[in-house]
Amino acid sequence: MRALVQRVRDAQVKVESAVVGHTGPGLLILVCAMPGDDEEIAAALAAKISKLRIFRDEAGKMNLSLTQTGGGALVVSQFTLAADTSRGNRPGFSGAAKPDVAETLYLHFADTLKGLGIATETGRFGAEMQVQLTNDGPVTLWLDTDTP
């Protein structure tokens, strides 16, 4: 799986002008399932992200995790993270998992975060979405898992 993680002050996702998910201080997580990914990989990535020490402590150092701060997460499926731009000017997306598998893994990822005690909301899989955020820092991290 691939994830783009942004520390945010707030974030929301809309579908047809209606807010379908939001968070206050915490993380906006864009996720993309790749061929060969499974629920174990999705859960491991969610656990890792929940423990990333990217929030400020009392001294202002990035030393706290999402679970320690009590922040929330907004998880948005984003197959375009699998873009292949090595040939020509039109990206290819064959590196993304098939939609039925991707949706299952996306939801499992979000459910794992919820199971870790993190207030988690999502976008709507497969929908045309508008995402708004206030990046805090800015702090933005790219994570890839090792897929079989």
Tab-separated table of all heavy atoms in Angstrom, residues 89-125:
chain	number	residue	atom	x	y	z
A	89	ASN	N	3.204	11.793	-21.385
A	89	ASN	CA	2.657	12.813	-20.509
A	89	ASN	C	1.352	12.413	-19.840
A	89	ASN	O	0.833	13.152	-19.014
A	89	ASN	CB	2.431	14.105	-21.303
A	89	ASN	CG	3.744	14.675	-21.779
A	89	ASN	OD1	4.716	14.710	-21.026
A	89	ASN	ND2	3.790	15.116	-23.023
A	90	ARG	N	0.823	11.252	-20.221
A	90	ARG	CA	-0.423	10.790	-19.602
A	90	ARG	C	-0.081	9.700	-18.599
A	90	ARG	O	0.436	8.646	-18.969
A	90	ARG	CB	-1.374	10.255	-20.659
A	90	ARG	CG	-2.686	9.826	-20.083
A	90	ARG	CD	-3.620	9.309	-21.152
A	90	ARG	NE	-4.781	8.754	-20.501
A	90	ARG	CZ	-5.986	8.822	-20.992
A	90	ARG	NH1	-6.199	9.413	-22.142
A	90	ARG	NH2	-6.987	8.277	-20.341
A	91	PRO	N	-0.373	9.912	-17.314
A	91	PRO	CA	-0.056	8.893	-16.311
A	91	PRO	C	-0.855	7.618	-16.532
A	91	PRO	O	-1.999	7.653	-16.977
A	91	PRO	CB	-0.477	9.546	-14.986
A	91	PRO	CG	-0.687	10.978	-15.279
A	91	PRO	CD	-0.982	11.097	-16.737
A	92	GLY	N	-0.230	6.500	-16.202
A	92	GLY	CA	-0.915	5.212	-16.210
A	92	GLY	C	-1.190	4.793	-14.779
A	92	GLY	O	-0.416	5.106	-13.876
A	93	PHE	N	-2.275	4.069	-14.576
A	93	PHE	CA	-2.678	3.704	-13.219
A	93	PHE	C	-2.805	2.194	-13.036
A	93	PHE	O	-3.469	1.739	-12.104
A	93	PHE	CB	-3.987	4.402	-12.850
A	93	PHE	CG	-3.879	5.894	-12.927
A	93	PHE	CD1	-4.445	6.597	-13.974
A	93	PHE	CD2	-3.168	6.600	-11.964
A	93	PHE	CE1	-4.327	7.972	-14.055
A	93	PHE	CE2	-3.038	7.977	-12.039
A	93	PHE	CZ	-3.619	8.662	-13.080
A	94	SER	N	-2.147	1.428	-13.892
A	94	SER	CA	-2.230	-0.028	-13.768
A	94	SER	C	-1.538	-0.536	-12.503
A	94	SER	O	-1.728	-1.691	-12.117
A	94	SER	CB	-1.637	-0.714	-15.006
A	94	SER	OG	-0.270	-0.371	-15.148
A	95	GLY	N	-0.776	0.313	-11.822
A	95	GLY	CA	-0.128	-0.065	-10.575
A	95	GLY	C	-1.047	-0.024	-9.373
A	95	GLY	O	-0.641	-0.381	-8.264
A	96	ALA	N	-2.300	0.393	-9.571
A	96	ALA	CA	-3.274	0.404	-8.476
A	96	ALA	C	-4.030	-0.916	-8.459
A	96	ALA	O	-4.222	-1.557	-9.499
A	96	ALA	CB	-4.255	1.560	-8.653
A	97	ALA	N	-4.463	-1.330	-7.290
A	97	ALA	CA	-5.268	-2.546	-7.163
A	97	ALA	C	-6.606	-2.351	-7.865
A	97	ALA	O	-7.082	-1.227	-8.045
A	97	ALA	CB	-5.485	-2.876	-5.690
A	98	LYS	N	-7.221	-3.450	-8.248
A	98	LYS	CA	-8.554	-3.408	-8.863
A	98	LYS	C	-9.545	-2.797	-7.870
A	98	LYS	O	-9.406	-2.968	-6.664
A	98	LYS	CB	-9.009	-4.812	-9.257
A	98	LYS	CG	-8.085	-5.491	-10.262
A	98	LYS	CD	-8.137	-4.794	-11.585
A	98	LYS	CE	-7.235	-5.516	-12.588
A	98	LYS	NZ	-6.845	-4.669	-13.674
A	99	PRO	N	-10.547	-2.078	-8.355
A	99	PRO	CA	-11.454	-1.342	-7.469
A	99	PRO	C	-12.085	-2.166	-6.339
A	99	PRO	O	-12.168	-1.687	-5.211
A	99	PRO	CB	-12.524	-0.793	-8.415
A	99	PRO	CG	-11.801	-0.644	-9.715
A	99	PRO	CD	-10.853	-1.811	-9.769
A	100	ASP	N	-12.539	-3.386	-6.615
A	100	ASP	CA	-13.188	-4.164	-5.557
A	100	ASP	C	-12.217	-4.514	-4.430
A	100	ASP	O	-12.553	-4.424	-3.245
A	100	ASP	CB	-13.856	-5.419	-6.115
A	100	ASP	CG	-12.906	-6.333	-6.861
A	100	ASP	OD1	-11.897	-5.850	-7.426
A	100	ASP	OD2	-13.159	-7.551	-6.898
A	101	VAL	N	-10.988	-4.853	-4.789
A	101	VAL	CA	-9.959	-5.147	-3.787
A	101	VAL	C	-9.553	-3.861	-3.075
A	101	VAL	O	-9.425	-3.828	-1.846
A	101	VAL	CB	-8.726	-5.805	-4.458
A	101	VAL	CG1	-7.574	-5.949	-3.476
A	101	VAL	CG2	-9.106	-7.144	-5.060
A	102	ALA	N	-9.365	-2.803	-3.837
A	102	ALA	CA	-8.932	-1.525	-3.266
A	102	ALA	C	-9.937	-1.008	-2.241
A	102	ALA	O	-9.544	-0.535	-1.164
A	102	ALA	CB	-8.725	-0.499	-4.380
A	103	GLU	N	-11.219	-1.101	-2.537
A	103	GLU	CA	-12.229	-0.607	-1.598
A	103	GLU	C	-12.194	-1.407	-0.290
A	103	GLU	O	-12.264	-0.829	0.796
A	103	GLU	CB	-13.623	-0.670	-2.210
A	103	GLU	CG	-14.679	-0.106	-1.287
A	103	GLU	CD	-16.057	-0.022	-1.924
A	103	GLU	OE1	-16.300	-0.678	-2.953
A	103	GLU	OE2	-16.900	0.711	-1.376
A	104	THR	N	-12.084	-2.711	-0.398
A	104	THR	CA	-12.016	-3.554	0.800
A	104	THR	C	-10.817	-3.177	1.663
A	104	THR	O	-10.933	-3.051	2.886
A	104	THR	CB	-11.943	-5.041	0.403
A	104	THR	OG1	-13.131	-5.382	-0.313
A	104	THR	CG2	-11.794	-5.944	1.612
A	105	LEU	N	-9.658	-2.981	1.035
A	105	LEU	CA	-8.445	-2.657	1.787
A	105	LEU	C	-8.504	-1.244	2.363
A	105	LEU	O	-8.040	-1.002	3.484
A	105	LEU	CB	-7.213	-2.846	0.909
A	105	LEU	CG	-6.959	-4.287	0.477
A	105	LEU	CD1	-5.757	-4.366	-0.448
A	105	LEU	CD2	-6.794	-5.202	1.678
A	106	TYR	N	-9.060	-0.325	1.630
A	106	TYR	CA	-9.248	1.054	2.095
A	106	TYR	C	-10.113	1.067	3.357
A	106	TYR	O	-9.777	1.702	4.364
A	106	TYR	CB	-9.872	1.854	0.952
A	106	TYR	CG	-10.593	3.126	1.299
A	106	TYR	CD1	-9.913	4.229	1.781
A	106	TYR	CD2	-11.962	3.236	1.096
A	106	TYR	CE1	-10.585	5.419	2.057
A	106	TYR	CE2	-12.640	4.416	1.359
A	106	TYR	CZ	-11.943	5.501	1.850
A	106	TYR	OH	-12.601	6.667	2.120
A	107	LEU	N	-11.221	0.356	3.321
A	107	LEU	CA	-12.113	0.311	4.475
A	107	LEU	C	-11.464	-0.424	5.648
A	107	LEU	O	-11.638	-0.027	6.806
A	107	LEU	CB	-13.441	-0.335	4.086
A	107	LEU	CG	-14.273	0.470	3.080
A	107	LEU	CD1	-15.488	-0.325	2.622
A	107	LEU	CD2	-14.677	1.823	3.649
A	108	HIS	N	-10.707	-1.471	5.363
A	108	HIS	CA	-10.007	-2.197	6.427
A	108	HIS	C	-8.959	-1.296	7.087
A	108	HIS	O	-8.803	-1.307	8.312
A	108	HIS	CB	-9.360	-3.470	5.883
A	108	HIS	CG	-8.778	-4.334	6.947
A	108	HIS	ND1	-9.552	-5.037	7.831
A	108	HIS	CD2	-7.495	-4.587	7.295
A	108	HIS	CE1	-8.772	-5.692	8.682
A	108	HIS	NE2	-7.518	-5.439	8.369
A	109	PHE	N	-8.259	-0.519	6.278
A	109	PHE	CA	-7.282	0.444	6.789
A	109	PHE	C	-7.970	1.413	7.755
A	109	PHE	O	-7.517	1.623	8.879
A	109	PHE	CB	-6.649	1.196	5.611
A	109	PHE	CG	-5.691	2.279	6.003
A	109	PHE	CD1	-4.340	2.017	6.137
A	109	PHE	CD2	-6.134	3.581	6.227
A	109	PHE	CE1	-3.448	3.018	6.503
A	109	PHE	CE2	-5.262	4.588	6.585
A	109	PHE	CZ	-3.910	4.294	6.728
A	110	ALA	N	-9.085	2.001	7.339
A	110	ALA	CA	-9.816	2.956	8.175
A	110	ALA	C	-10.356	2.279	9.431
A	110	ALA	O	-10.276	2.838	10.533
A	110	ALA	CB	-10.955	3.596	7.379
A	111	ASP	N	-10.893	1.071	9.294
A	111	ASP	CA	-11.408	0.343	10.456
A	111	ASP	C	-10.298	0.011	11.445
A	111	ASP	O	-10.526	0.018	12.661
A	111	ASP	CB	-12.110	-0.935	10.016
A	111	ASP	CG	-13.468	-0.672	9.378
A	111	ASP	OD1	-14.012	0.439	9.551
A	111	ASP	OD2	-13.971	-1.587	8.695
A	112	THR	N	-9.098	-0.267	10.953
A	112	THR	CA	-7.970	-0.533	11.845
A	112	THR	C	-7.641	0.700	12.670
A	112	THR	O	-7.412	0.608	13.880
A	112	THR	CB	-6.741	-1.007	11.046
A	112	THR	OG1	-7.075	-2.215	10.352
A	112	THR	CG2	-5.562	-1.265	11.964
A	113	LEU	N	-7.621	1.868	12.024
A	113	LEU	CA	-7.384	3.110	12.771
A	113	LEU	C	-8.447	3.300	13.853
A	113	LEU	O	-8.134	3.633	14.997
A	113	LEU	CB	-7.366	4.319	11.835
A	113	LEU	CG	-6.137	4.489	10.943
A	113	LEU	CD1	-6.357	5.659	9.981
A	113	LEU	CD2	-4.878	4.703	11.759
A	114	LYS	N	-9.702	3.062	13.488
A	114	LYS	CA	-10.790	3.186	14.466
A	114	LYS	C	-10.563	2.221	15.629
A	114	LYS	O	-10.761	2.581	16.787
A	114	LYS	CB	-12.141	2.892	13.816
A	114	LYS	CG	-12.619	3.960	12.873
A	114	LYS	CD	-13.930	3.548	12.213
A	114	LYS	CE	-14.305	4.504	11.101
A	114	LYS	NZ	-15.465	4.050	10.338
A	115	GLY	N	-10.144	1.001	15.315
A	115	GLY	CA	-9.893	-0.001	16.337
A	115	GLY	C	-8.750	0.369	17.260
A	115	GLY	O	-8.661	-0.153	18.381
A	116	LEU	N	-7.873	1.249	16.802
A	116	LEU	CA	-6.768	1.734	17.629
A	116	LEU	C	-7.183	2.932	18.480
A	116	LEU	O	-6.355	3.530	19.155
A	116	LEU	CB	-5.575	2.101	16.733
A	116	LEU	CG	-4.926	0.917	16.006
A	116	LEU	CD1	-3.945	1.411	14.948
A	116	LEU	CD2	-4.240	-0.004	17.001
A	117	GLY	N	-8.459	3.269	18.435
A	117	GLY	CA	-8.969	4.361	19.259
A	117	GLY	C	-8.864	5.730	18.629
A	117	GLY	O	-9.020	6.743	19.315
A	118	ILE	N	-8.622	5.776	17.325
A	118	ILE	CA	-8.489	7.054	16.625
A	118	ILE	C	-9.824	7.407	15.971
A	118	ILE	O	-10.388	6.590	15.235
A	118	ILE	CB	-7.364	6.969	15.564
A	118	ILE	CG1	-6.027	6.724	16.265
A	118	ILE	CG2	-7.326	8.219	14.705
A	118	ILE	CD1	-4.911	6.313	15.346
A	119	ALA	N	-10.324	8.602	16.251
A	119	ALA	CA	-11.548	9.079	15.599
A	119	ALA	C	-11.254	9.185	14.105
A	119	ALA	O	-10.412	9.981	13.689
A	119	ALA	CB	-11.969	10.425	16.171
A	120	THR	N	-11.919	8.350	13.310
A	120	THR	CA	-11.595	8.229	11.892
A	120	THR	C	-12.836	8.416	11.036
A	120	THR	O	-13.869	7.797	11.282
A	120	THR	CB	-10.986	6.843	11.601
A	120	THR	OG1	-9.836	6.652	12.437
A	120	THR	CG2	-10.579	6.710	10.145
A	121	GLU	N	-12.709	9.280	10.038
A	121	GLU	CA	-13.760	9.446	9.039
A	121	GLU	C	-13.139	9.207	7.671
A	121	GLU	O	-11.912	9.217	7.529
A	121	GLU	CB	-14.395	10.829	9.147
A	121	GLU	CG	-15.117	11.022	10.473
A	121	GLU	CD	-16.039	12.220	10.501
A	121	GLU	OE1	-16.380	12.763	9.419
A	121	GLU	OE2	-16.427	12.613	11.612
A	122	THR	N	-13.984	8.996	6.683
A	122	THR	CA	-13.495	8.667	5.339
A	122	THR	C	-14.185	9.521	4.284
A	122	THR	O	-15.213	10.140	4.543
A	122	THR	CB	-13.756	7.187	4.996
A	122	THR	OG1	-15.173	6.951	4.984
A	122	THR	CG2	-13.078	6.250	5.980
A	123	GLY	N	-13.583	9.473	3.112
A	123	GLY	CA	-14.229	10.005	1.927
A	123	GLY	C	-15.182	8.936	1.411
A	123	GLY	O	-15.551	8.013	2.141
A	124	ARG	N	-15.560	9.019	0.147
A	124	ARG	CA	-16.442	8.026	-0.457
A	124	ARG	C	-15.689	7.362	-1.605
A	124	ARG	O	-15.332	8.024	-2.588
A	124	ARG	CB	-17.730	8.678	-0.951
A	124	ARG	CG	-18.739	7.649	-1.431
A	124	ARG	CD	-20.085	8.244	-1.746
A	124	ARG	NE	-20.645	8.908	-0.566
A	124	ARG	CZ	-21.428	9.981	-0.632
A	124	ARG	NH1	-21.731	10.518	-1.784
A	124	ARG	NH2	-21.905	10.522	0.469
A	125	PHE	N	-15.444	6.084	-1.475
A	125	PHE	CA	-14.660	5.352	-2.456
A	125	PHE	C	-15.265	5.502	-3.854
A	125	PHE	O	-16.467	5.349	-4.051
A	125	PHE	CB	-14.585	3.861	-2.086
A	125	PHE	CG	-13.683	3.084	-2.985
A	125	PHE	CD1	-12.331	2.992	-2.695
A	125	PHE	CD2	-14.166	2.479	-4.137
A	125	PHE	CE1	-11.483	2.293	-3.537
A	125	PHE	CE2	-13.317	1.783	-4.978
A	125	PHE	CZ	-11.977	1.689	-4.680
